[in-house]
Every structure is written in structure tokens, then in C-alpha cells.
Amino acid sequence: MLVEEIALPIEGLETAKLQTYVRENSPEIDPHKKRPAVIICPGGGYEFLSDREAEPVALELVGRGYQAFVLTYSVAPAVFPTAVVQLAAAVAHVRSNCEKYATDPDKIVVAGFSAGGHLAASLGVFWQQELFSAYLPGANEQWQPNALLLSYPVISSQAYGHQDSFKNLLGDQYAAQKAELSLEDQVTAAVPPTFIWHTMADDLVTVENSLSFVKALLEKEVPTEFHAFMRGGHGLSLGTAETQIGDGYGIEKNIQLWPQLFDNWLSCLFEKY
């Protein structure tokens, strides 16, 4: 396995880091195999990055046949668009190094948890916009995701939204820009196919965030699959002992099948890879 930390310098912005979890092809099995890639954005309210939503998720996905990457993006006091430009740079890096990473350049998924879900969805919504060209070389298609995986995402800055995430993301521009970053109102037909899951019992980032985004995706006929689980609070990650918080919070059997559901969905979307 190729495990390395890649710096992603961007002129005028902080440098992000991309951790690789890349399976190398075996000459005995299939020396030319190209796997889908998943770039993971951990959550943390744009205040910190959760380890529980980083390497354990990457290893789960590697075990299912994906090439996985974890993005260490900038959080407060860094403000929009720093993190989303860093994510765009990560997608462009993986796509331009698809031979090195044994990855199909047309099968790059951007995944995010909680505020990381807002980040992933932001690239899905905004990838065509000119703001990226001010920082990154090449055409917008270089950083276009082919699919989104959103786990209990922050989406909306409306009354039910997680306001602290938007305050951390926008700083002193919170009042002026929060409507622009309320992603359910920014969806177009150009958003990539999207897999979303949430829990009905999440009382920190409520399920209305996902529901509002799903509704907007359906209105624009974006291929979408959504799962709402009955039990479980916020920040469950894999819902296993591996991703629990020390006191046992986060072990939730009813959500443990979401990786399989995502794998099934993506297999159909990419026609079994």
C-alpha cells in the first residue's frame, strides 16, 4: 500500500495536506486495475478535524476496493473559500496522478462528514464557478467530482442549520455570506450524483439539512440516494467500536451498513467499476 502525505500548496492560501491510502496493483492479480477514488473530508464544525471520520473511514473504503485519501483542510480562522479551493486542488491532484494511484480519473468521489459534508457538497455545487480559476491552473473539469458521499452533512444556514459551522467558515462575513453558502438554494443540474445518509435522531445537525438538499437535487433531476436511519445522534462515522468516542458514544448498529449501501449505489452508478 502506498501511504504518503502530500502537500497541496496554493498561492495566496494555506497549504493543505492529502494523506493517501492507495492499494498497489499486483502483477499476479491485475497489474492494470483502476479503482474508484474517494477523497474524505472529516467534520469538526470548520473548527477542528475529527480523527474518527478520517483514517478509520479510509481503511473501511480501502477494504471495499477503493483508493482512499484524507484531506487535512484549513479551518477557522481560515475562511471561505480556502477549504473548498483546497478540496478542488486535491481532486485535481488525484486526477492528474491517476496512473500513480491506479485510479480511474472519471470515478473520483468527494466524501464529507458533518461540516466536511458541507465542504464536499460545496465543491459539488460550485465546481463550475470562476472562483477556483483565481487559485488553480487548468479547466474546471480538473476538479469536478464524479460523485458525492455526504454523511450527516451541514447544508443549510436557515433556522434549523448548524450556525456555528457557518460562523467558523465565514468569520466576520457570516451575516453577509451565509445565504450564499446555504447549499440547498445553490443546487443546479451540474451537481454530481449524490449519496446521502443521516439519522432522524441527530439533534446537532438535524435531518432537515439532508432533506432540503435531497429535495433540491430531485428538483434538478440529479441522481440521488438518501437513507434516514431511525436511531443515533450526530457524528457517528462508521458507528462501530473503532470510531467510538472513549465513553462508548458512537457505537450504533443500525447505521453500520451505510458503507455497504454506498458501495452498492456506486457500483450501479459506475456499472460495477
Side-chain angles (χ1 to χ4, degrees):
M1 181 180 290
L2 179 63
V3 179
E4 58 182 3
E5 186 176 272
I6 307 295
L8 299 173
I10 302 168
E11 186 173 355
L13 296 179
E14 296 177 6
T15 297
K17 296 178 182 178
L18 190 67
Q19 184 74 39
T20 73
Y21 299 84
V22 171
R23 295 177 62 170
E24 298 176 277
N25 286 336
S26 166
E28 179 184 1
I29 301 172
D30 184 352
H32 306 297
K33 188 175 182 64
K34 300 291 186 183
R35 302 176 186 271
V38 182
I39 301 173
I40 301 162
C41 303
Y46 286 114
E47 181 178 7
F48 70 99
L49 300 183
S50 172
D51 291 337
R52 299 170 51 253
E53 297 163 343
E55 184 170 86
V57 178
L59 295 178
E60 171 71 25
L61 293 172
V62 167
R64 292 178 178 274
Y66 298 91
Q67 308 291 36
F69 305 80
V70 174
L71 180 65
T72 301
Y73 58 91
S74 295
V75 297
V79 295
F80 181 84
T82 301
V84 73
V85 173
Q86 292 171 336
L87 178 55
V91 174
H93 172 81
V94 172
R95 182 165 280 127
S96 63
N97 288 276
C98 58
E99 292 298 322
K100 174 182 177 180
Y101 297 137
T103 293
D104 189 324
D106 297 321
K107 296 176 181 177
I108 298 177
V109 182
V110 171
F113 294 76
S114 191
H118 183 272
L119 176 57
S122 293
L123 184 60
V125 167
F126 296 132
W127 67 269
Q128 291 182 303
Q129 294 195 2
E130 294 182 1
L131 74 89
F132 298 100
S133 298
Y135 300 98
L136 303 175
N140 294 57
E141 287 75 15
Q142 283 295 106
W143 48 83
Q144 176 187 3
N146 301 112
L148 302 180
L149 162 58
L150 307 180
S151 301
Y152 42 89
V154 173
I155 292 292
S156 180
S157 65
Q158 301 299 322
Y160 55 80
H162 187 250
Q163 299 305 316
D164 285 348
S165 290
F166 289 94
K167 290 175 181 177
N168 289 330
L169 174 63
L170 296 172
D172 60 9
Q173 294 301 305
Y174 166 70
Q177 287 190 285
K178 68 174 185 175
E180 175 188 346
L181 274 296
S182 199
L183 301 180
E184 77 278 21
D185 295 327
Q186 307 300 331
V187 171
T188 70
V191 176
T194 302
F195 180 96
I196 309 180
W197 71 273
H198 218 119
T199 65
M200 299 296 288
D202 191 331
D203 60 359
L204 183 64
V205 178
T206 64
V207 71
E208 282 84 358
N209 282 268
S210 287
L211 291 172
S212 66
F213 200 61
V214 168
K215 182 176 183 292
L217 293 171
L218 292 175
E219 288 174 351
K220 297 298 182 181
E221 300 184 346
V222 175
T224 306
E225 182 164 317
F226 172 56
H227 294 272
F229 298 98
M230 182 174 65
R231 295 191 305 274
H234 187 68
L236 296 177
S237 187
L238 299 174
T240 63
E242 183 68 25
T243 58
Q244 68 169 315
I245 296 175
D247 61 2
Y249 176 83
I251 300 177
E252 190 60 66
K253 186 174 182 179
N254 87 124
I255 68 98
Q256 291 175 6
L257 78 164
W258 77 256
Q260 183 62 57
L261 294 170
F262 165 71
D263 190 32
N264 292 346
W265 175 78
L266 203 71
S267 295
C268 293
L269 183 68
F270 291 159
E271 296 181 352
K272 209 58 181 177
Y273 308 160

